[in-house]
Amino acid sequence: MCGIVGYLGSKKTKDILLDGLQELEYRGYDSAGIAVLQNDDFSVYKAVGKLVNLQEKAAAFDPSGFAIGIGHTRWATHGKPTELNAHPHLGESSYVVHNGIIENYAALKRELQESGAHFLSQTDTEVIVHLFEKELRTADSAFDAFTKTISQLQGAFAILLVTKSEDRTIFFAKQGSPMIVGRDADGEKYFASSDTPLIGKCSDVIYLDDGDYGYVTPETIAIFDKKSNKKEPHFSKLSTNKLSAQKGGFRFFMEKEIYEQSEVIIDTLLGRIFDKEIHFEELDSKLFDGINEIKLCACGTSYHSALVSSYLFERYAKIRVSVEIASEFRYKEPLLCQDTLFVAISQSGETADTLETLKMAKEAGLKTLVICNVDNSSMVRLADASILTRAGIEKGVASTKAFATQVVVFWMLSLYIAKLKNSLTTEQIEKQISLLREVPSVLKIKEGLHEKITRLSKRYLHGHGFFFIGRDIFYPLALEGALKLKEITYLHAEGYPSGEMKHGPIALADPELFTIALLPQHMLYEKSKSNVEELSARDSTICAISPVEFDKADDYIKTSDVRDYMLEFFEMMVIVQLLSMEIAIRLGNDVDMPRNLAKSVTVE
Ligand code: F6R
């Protein structure tokens, strides 16, 4: 996820920008850059990869005295992670940094190219600076040109722009993506896309609202709202605690990451969904030539998302799928055939068992694909192709947002293959894409839901075990719910297919056995309901999660009346994550760093 910083003042501009970018590193990025304007002269540095590369490039640069500067860490969406695509982007005499997406960039780019603009990058961002320079030719002032520019942009953005003709001004705009303006004790001005770069530098900050835009100079902070009315700057005091700022006001990283899921899915979808098709810039469709089977390998939570994908690939793409636990696969002497696409799934891209299976598949001459959250990780470097999930850095040991993004990537990939294989009609693909667009809003946690789960959690602190049960893709979700609970509450939990309980586990049923029943209305509702009734008849304590009221349950968490089982999946996912977290909190456990666990398991 991209990050923005800005500074206007007489302190060490380069250090302030680079330090700020460092504070944003935790969000993940694949390139970075800064532009500093001083005495009518721009100094610009960009580098791919880690910030240290940028620091090395800018090592000899040491501006002193008054300067204005902007900086950016980029997580590639439109265009590959290259230096040319890294921000800041240049027009003729202006630079811009931008977070978010300009939805109408293609149309704007065409018009600008027709009127002579020369584009250097593949990004949507570059249209902003060319549009600004076009407006500047006829506008009354640079601010007038900036105002006209942002009024033509559609989509979500946070923008900083600097231009030679106004070398004591930074222009800004915010629509949908976060942007904060800060002021230090000397009245110098700062910008950042989150609190952390500002902590220790500014005491007063303004959290801009959507639609706000304006400019800062050494003397002023001018803010206008979306109706172009001038606003009084409203300053808040900035916390001095970095860790709590990184947690964004949440008690734990896990909690923050659960709440972030709606936002990160927007990143996962960016530039990949169009009205009638799915597009993965990083994939060559030839990867699927001659492929009759997909074999997926992973561990833990990533294994559960692979299990979800097995339903989606067979249902939508009509392709044979097998899913394997990596540590098992390594030693089973697997039969590997050339018509199989081998897919490794990993949040970290470093898990030893999964990495080893990828090596085995490569050695056997299979085509390989990695679904991963970390660019340049060992798996990404090794595989023939990779798709990044774009969840941003996940700090909580118990994986949440990485899982959500993996499932969304698999859903998109199943539609991508369905299109290649003609296994779905255009109308069916269109419908699926319109459902994908609804995921971010389904993932927004509804008012009262978290509070209800917190209240309810007090009844689930004891007992002799939990069963999470579901059918179809709700079975891997049940597995994932049980894994979350085990990891952070240290209580025993199992995930089971609802229809399988009667083949043994139902013997455990008594009031001290807690059943968390996933009962979506759009996937085998009646069948799942009878399975839960069987458990209720044997006195198991039932917590039903469903949009349909269920009178045989002891507890009931109502979900929304959405139009498809995939949307029900994501809402139920959030509920099982929150439930595990609230039980763990009541038990006094360290939610972010549960005992005996590591975030990345790089040993066998
Ligand atoms: C569960 C969890 C682990 C990981 C597993 C694989 O919350 O985090 O089960 O999913 O260790 O890790 P990655 O996905 O990094 O390969």
Side-chain angles (χ1 to χ4, degrees):
M1 291 191 288
C2 304
I4 285 183
V5 293
Y7 171 67
L8 180 150
S10 301
K11 302 197 173 84
K12 288 192 158 297
T13 306
K14 181 187 84 171
D15 294 349
I16 287 172
L17 295 176
L18 290 178
D19 288 354
L21 293 181
Q22 199 142 34
E23 294 294 345
L24 294 171
E25 260 194 316
Y26 75 97
R27 296 170 62 84
Y29 64 102
D30 41 47
S31 58
I34 55 169
V36 175
L37 177 57
Q38 190 176 41
N39 305 328
D40 207 28
D41 208 15
F42 269 117
S43 306
V44 182
Y45 298 89
K46 298 188 195 190
V48 174
K50 291 286 155 209
L51 268 181
V52 59
N53 301 341
L54 181 64
Q55 277 152 350
E56 274 168 20
K57 280 198 163 184
F61 173 58
D62 188 20
S64 61
F66 181 82
I68 61 177
I70 55 178
H72 192 264
T73 46
R74 173 173 187 257
W75 186 303
T77 53
H78 286 78
K80 295 198 176 346
T82 61
E83 234 171 76
L84 268 186
N85 287 335
H87 302 212
H89 286 287
L90 168 70
E92 280 167 25
S93 54
S94 319
Y95 276 93
V96 70
V97 291
H98 157 232
N99 283 357
I101 181 158
I102 307 299
E103 283 167 3
N104 57 337
Y105 91 98
L108 290 171
K109 186 168 178 175
R110 253 191 324 273
E111 279 170 35
L112 289 161
Q113 280 171 326
E114 276 160 21
S115 59
H118 179 55
F119 279 77
L120 296 172
S121 76
Q122 301 160 304
T123 65
D124 54 337
T125 305
E126 202 183 338
V127 298
I128 303 169
V129 70
H130 290 297
L131 192 55
F132 169 77
E133 296 203 329
K134 182 177 160 222
E135 294 297 343
L136 193 58
R137 280 178 220 127
T138 52
D140 297 336
S141 65
F143 183 54
D144 183 29
F146 184 71
T147 308
K148 287 181 173 143
T149 302
I150 55 172
S151 70
Q152 295 170 65
L153 305 178
Q154 287 164 15
F157 49 79
I159 294 170
L160 294 183
L161 184 142
V162 288
T163 187
K164 266 193 174 179
S165 62
E166 300 261 351
D167 65 359
R168 296 173 73 76
T169 309
I170 299 180
F171 299 97
F172 63 85
K174 176 206 174 337
Q175 177 62 55
S177 298
M179 176 70 88
I180 305 165
V181 190
R183 183 179 66 183
D184 70 11
D186 303 319
E188 297 195 328
K189 318 293 186 310
Y190 298 71
F191 289 93
S193 51
S194 80
D195 280 348
T196 39
L198 304 178
I199 292 175
K201 298 202 169 70
C202 309
S203 48
D204 298 328
V205 291
I206 304 165
Y207 294 95
L208 295 174
D209 294 321
D210 278 342
D212 284 357
Y213 65 99
Y215 58 88
V216 301
T217 65
E219 297 77 30
T220 38
I221 299 178
I223 307 178
F224 299 82
D225 68 14
K226 54 176 155 253
K227 293 191 176 131
S228 302
N229 297 316
K230 192 151 189 204
K231 283 173 75 168
E232 262 321 297
H234 175 73
F235 285 97
S236 317
K237 286 278 166 228
L238 186 63
S239 131
T240 50
N241 181 335
K242 262 193 192 152
L243 190 65
S244 108
Q246 280 185 357
K247 287 187 194 155
F250 292 99
R251 294 164 292 174
F252 299 97
F253 280 110
M254 180 185 181
E255 185 176 29
K256 173 169 173 272
E257 286 158 6
I258 293 171
Y259 273 81
E260 248 171 31
Q261 292 179 111
S262 166
E263 199 187 311
V264 298
I265 293 300
I266 296 176
D267 286 343
T268 308
L269 297 173
L270 269 184
R272 290 171 170 167
I273 52 170
F274 296 88
D275 287 345
K276 291 188 187 336
E277 63 174 11
I278 301 290
H279 177 72
F280 285 107
E281 191 170 64
E282 51 277 76
L283 281 193
D284 181 343
S285 60
K286 288 201 188 73
L287 186 71
F288 300 92
D289 287 354
I291 294 298
N292 293 314
E293 183 181 345
I294 297 180
K295 190 176 273 300
L296 301 118
C297 245
C299 305
T301 290
S302 297
Y303 169 71
H304 297 153
S305 78
L307 284 176
V308 174
S309 85
S310 68
Y311 290 83
L312 304 182
F313 283 139
E314 295 208 347
R315 181 165 295 145
Y316 299 141
K318 303 289 175 231
I319 188 158
R320 212 167 43 239
V321 181
S322 56
V323 186
E324 312 249 6
I325 289 183
S327 54
E328 284 299 307
F329 182 81
R330 282 178 72 170
Y331 300 105
K332 70 184 279 200
E333 297 176 28
L335 186 62
L336 294 172
C337 305
Q338 302 291 316
D339 66 347
T340 301
L341 174 69
F342 184 88
V343 182
I345 309 96
S346 175
Q347 188 285 126
S348 60
E350 304 295 346
T351 303
D353 284 322
T354 313
L355 182 59
E356 206 49 45
T357 64
L358 181 60
K359 288 182 189 158
M360 285 166 64
K362 285 215 75 152
E363 271 159 28
L366 267 58
K367 290 188 187 173
T368 56
L369 170 68
V370 162
I371 313 293
C372 190
N373 195 36
V374 181
D375 199 6
N376 287 317
S377 57
S378 304
M379 287 184 217
V380 169
R381 289 198 310 268
L382 189 64
D384 298 325
S386 56
I387 301 179
L388 295 178
T389 47
R390 303 181 185 157
I393 288 182
E394 192 177 58
K395 286 209 167 178
V397 164
S399 184
T400 51
K401 60 178 182 167
F403 175 72
T405 55
Q406 286 170 345
V407 174
V408 166
V409 165
F410 278 131
W411 186 4
M412 288 193 286
L413 190 60
S414 69
L415 303 177
Y416 178 92
I417 303 173
K419 167 113 182 170
L420 291 178
K421 291 177 55 105
N422 272 326
S423 56
L424 290 182
T425 62
T426 310
E427 291 71 37
Q428 286 170 320
I429 292 182
E430 269 174 26
K431 183 191 163 202
Q432 290 295 316
I433 292 174
S434 76
L435 291 169
L436 272 162
R437 288 187 200 281
E438 287 178 40
V439 176
S441 74
V442 167
L443 283 171
K444 285 213 169 101
I445 297 170
K446 316 273 169 320
E447 218 188 309
L449 176 68
H450 194 157
E451 200 191 320
K452 163 146 195 163
I453 293 172
T454 309
R455 239 186 5 259
L456 208 134
S457 63
K458 63 176 173 287
R459 298 165 61 151
Y460 295 92
L461 307 177
H462 59 290
H464 58 74
F466 285 75
F467 269 89
F468 285 72
I469 60 169
R471 299 182 82 126
D472 201 274
I473 58 166
F474 295 85
Y475 161 50
L477 181 57
L479 288 171
E480 176 59 8
L483 179 64
K484 287 292 85 88
L485 193 91
K486 273 187 277 220
E487 287 182 292
I488 58 175
T489 68
Y490 319 141
L491 296 171
H492 180 246
E494 280 189 63
Y496 236 76
S498 307
E500 189 65 11
M501 292 298 284
K502 57 185 170 298
H503 297 290
I506 203 166
L508 292 167
D510 68 17
E512 297 296 291
L513 178 79
F514 301 141
T515 302
I516 312 296
L518 305 177
L519 286 167
Q521 66 177 328
H522 296 297
M523 180 52 75
L524 300 168
Y525 177 75
E526 290 301 331
K527 301 239 172 269
S528 311
K529 190 172 143 220
S530 348
N531 299 143
V532 183
E533 278 165 358
E534 286 155 14
L535 280 153
S536 164
R538 272 110 191 142
D539 241 3
S540 168
T541 297
I542 313 266
C543 174
I545 305 176
S546 179
V548 186
E549 196 114 17
F550 183 61
D551 58 9
K552 302 263 171 23
D554 301 271
D555 283 315
Y556 170 58
I557 302 176
K558 187 170 170 49
T559 53
S560 317
D561 188 9
V562 288
R563 65 187 173 112
D564 191 87
Y565 73 98
M566 287 304 292
L567 302 178
E568 298 194 275
F569 177 93
F570 286 103
E571 194 173 347
M572 291 188 184
M573 177 197 75
V574 169
I575 291 171
V576 295
Q577 292 167 342
L578 287 174
L579 183 62
S580 300
M581 188 188 76
E582 287 304 332
I583 296 175
I585 294 172
R586 281 191 189 272
L587 292 171
N589 298 347
D590 185 341
V591 168
D592 284 333
M593 268 185 275
R595 69 184 186 201
N596 307 338
L597 298 180
K599 184 68 190 158
S600 183
V601 187
T602 52
V603 290
E604 190 177 346

